[in-house]
DNA sequence: TCCATATATAGATTTTTATCTATATAAAAA
DNA sequence: TTTTTATATAGATAAAAATCTATATATGGA
């Protein structure tokens, strides 16, 4: 590490000049290609030779003959300027969205619709890689705090962080039961009836649970929680097998399959919540992130709603 | 090529600073390791970001989170500073003669003794490579003009070039004949007798021929040149087989074998000439070249004379 | 030998770089 | 909320880099 304190010999300009002399085979030739005067070249290379500690070349007759040390420096200079050239290319590709990565972190429930949003985006920007991270609300908040990703998708964004967000679209939470459950055939189900049935709840930290708890508290009722289950899929299968009823995002059913399940016609439901796209105020969005946000707000939202209509319960 | 006109983004110092931030994970941490103030770091990286065209990092909470562009620059900066580190090592090795090449160009005749000089040198500097070029006088002069090698060995250096030289040691030219040639048994051979015998001469441009011709012109006699032969070895074998007599460097016999040959006892001979080590005044000697010259002038000459005594005809 | 060509040196000047101090701002921790 | 910690910004300055013009020097060729 300490080597890096003064880890260079000469300046980049001197490297450029050296290569020009090497390429043209003469000092004045280099001066011409670089649009400089001849003494400038001589002077700069003399300075370079000083810090290198060896002469870089000799003038023999009228030709420039490089010393062994000079050739070593030429080799390094080539490597170095090549490295810059590569960097310039990578950066230019990034600017034109010809390369780069979009990083998303989404809560579990949203994994049902996010892929439908990403599909068209990837088609439009074929050279952009997408890294999708799925976790529960708590895990995604952790990533958000650490500023790892470009965007975060929540239904219930944390309030205490310095973020910006857009409301993406409605995330109705509906009550479900096994398709031949007695409540299903009922014309209208009251909240009280729902509360009597054994209820399958998401784990602590889940956004869905948060929404359900707030809603029930507001309504002044209490659910009969029988089990806590960490996944929407597992809840769906448990409901199918008659273990109990539950409340889930309608999208879980629309995009994730719903055979053997039926929605309950509860007057107070669905619970209205929303999907949000969130990002840190302090993190300036990359070009790719901006492109994605634009995509989401224009085509993305529309396409998804169309898609959703097809899968309507 | 034209890319090289302005082929760099940022300065080397900025690269160093960027890596310090990357390594320490914070701006002020980098300031500490580099013994700078914190604003210096912020400012330099801001400038770097300006020429790069993208932000290099975001501050999230208290941590520095690099952007994709920032990571690209870190990658290049690492490559570049590594390249400098390698260069520094190569140069340091050269300075300590731990690496490098000694380039010699010698005329054909000297190839008999030069290896005996190089042997001990290579032993002493085991990491120095030696490149030995053997050619006739004209070819070696050509290389000298082009400044290709560190040293040149001649018996008859060209006078018109701007060179420096040291007289290395005596190069006596002696007359030889087949061992049962009538002149061999003779007590003393006159120049006239030598001139009558069929003479095998080196080709035009040979230093040996030059010396012989000058000598004979000075003595006012003319040789009976029967054949021109381009190699000392071929002349020796021709003399052995009785084709004629010749005049050769005694070293050709001492180091190159002399079975079947005998030296003629000519009063006016040997022709006295010398071996010279030559180099271009305009070409500053490399560290290796200096070491070689020192070696030659001290041990080298002595060792060779000792060696020569062992092989005495 | 003289001329043309190529390079080096000297001295001056303009930019750019590198760095500082003082201060503002933002976020985490107490 | 206040304090502490970390970073950014502004303005100033010293050092160095980059470049020029004018001139000296060395070499090859006419």
């Amino acid at each position: 590490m300490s080597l890096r304190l003064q880890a260079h010999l000469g300046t980049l300009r001197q490297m450029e000049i050296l290569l020009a002399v090497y390429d043209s085979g003469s000092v004045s030739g280099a001066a011409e290609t670089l649009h400089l005067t001849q003494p400038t070249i001589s002077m700069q290379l003399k300075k370079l030779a000083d810090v290198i500690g060896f002469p870089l070349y000799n003038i023999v007759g009228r030709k420039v003959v490089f010393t062994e040390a000079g050739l070593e420096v030429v080799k390094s200079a080539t490597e170095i300027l090549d490295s810059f050239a590569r960097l310039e290319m990578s950066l230019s590709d990034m600017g034109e969205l010809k390369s780069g990565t979009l990083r998303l972190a989404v809560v579990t429930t949203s994994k049902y619709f996010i892929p439908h949003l990403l599909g068209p985006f990837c088609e439009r920007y074929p050279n952009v890689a997408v890294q999708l991270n799925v976790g529960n609300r708590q895990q995604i908040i952790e990533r958000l705090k650490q500023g790892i990703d470009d965007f975060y998708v929540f239904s219930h964004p944390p309030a205490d962080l310095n973020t910006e967000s857009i409301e993406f679209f409605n995330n109705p939470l509906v009550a479900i039961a096994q398709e031949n459950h007695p409540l299903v055939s009922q014309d209208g189900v009251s909240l009280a009836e729902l509360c009597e049935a054994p209820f399958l709840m998401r784990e602590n930290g889940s956004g869905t649970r948060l929404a359900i708890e707030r809603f029930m508290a507001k309504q002044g009722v209490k659910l009969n929680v029988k089990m806590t289950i960490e996944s929407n899929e597992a809840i769906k299968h448990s409901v199918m097998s008659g273990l109990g009823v539950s409340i889930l995002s309608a999208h879980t059913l629309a995009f994730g399959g719903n055979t053997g399940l039926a929605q309950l016609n509860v007057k107070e439901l669905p619970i209205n919540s929303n999907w949000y796209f969130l990002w840190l105020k302090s993190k300036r969005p990359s070009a790719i992130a901006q492109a994605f946000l634009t995509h989401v707000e224009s085509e993305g939202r529309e396409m998804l709603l169309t898609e959703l209509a097809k899968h309507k319960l």
Side-chain angles (χ1 to χ4, degrees), chain A residues 97-156:
Chain A
L97 303 186
K98 278 186 190 156
S99 79
T101 307
L102 175 72
R103 286 182 185 75
L104 297 179
V106 307
V107 295
T108 328
T109 317
S110 68
K111 77 178 172 199
Y112 294 106
F113 71 87
I114 287 288
H116 296 272
L117 201 57
L118 288 176
F121 179 76
C122 290
E123 225 167 89
R124 175 145 169 208
Y125 299 103
N127 300 303
V128 171
V130 177
Q131 193 178 306
L132 183 63
N133 244 282
V134 181
N136 69 25
R137 186 168 176 274
Q138 211 48 54
Q139 292 167 325
I140 301 306
I141 287 177
E142 200 46 51
R143 290 184 72 95
L144 170 61
K145 277 186 186 162
Q146 291 182 33
I148 296 176
D149 308 276
D150 293 309
F151 289 110
Y152 302 84
V153 175
F154 286 98
S155 194
H156 302 276

Side-chain angles (χ1 to χ4, degrees), chain A residues 8 11 40 53-54 58 101 116-117 140 150 155 163 174 184-185 192 199 218 223 231 257 260 262 274:
Chain A
H8 60 251
T11 69
T40 301
F54 299 92
N58 292 282
T101 307
H116 296 272
L117 201 57
I140 301 306
D150 293 309
S155 194
T163 59
V174 298
V184 171
S185 47
F199 194 89
K218 209 170 186 178
L223 288 168
S231 121
N274 280 290

Side-chain angles (χ1 to χ4, degrees), chain A residues 20 32 46 69 71 126 138 157 188 191 202 217 258 261 266 304 310:
Chain A
E32 195 168 339
K46 188 182 144 83
L71 290 174
Q138 211 48 54
L191 258 187
R202 281 289 303 274
N258 53 22
L261 294 176
V266 182
L304 202 54
K310 284 188 210 161

Side-chain angles (χ1 to χ4, degrees), chain A residues 206-259:
Chain A
S206 149
T208 306
R209 176 174 179 156
L210 193 68
I212 294 170
E213 286 178 343
R214 280 191 194 150
F215 176 80
M216 295 302 166
K218 209 170 186 178
Q219 298 287 332
V221 296
K222 200 148 186 272
L223 288 168
N224 169 27
V225 175
K226 188 183 176 188
M227 282 179 79
T228 298
I229 299 179
E230 290 206 1
S231 121
N232 291 321
E233 285 306 303
I235 286 182
K236 271 159 68 178
H237 286 279
S238 303
V239 171
M240 277 175 215
S241 60
L243 269 176
V245 300
S246 190
I247 295 180
L248 286 183
S249 162
H251 303 147
T252 307
L253 307 174
F255 291 111
N258 53 22
T259 40

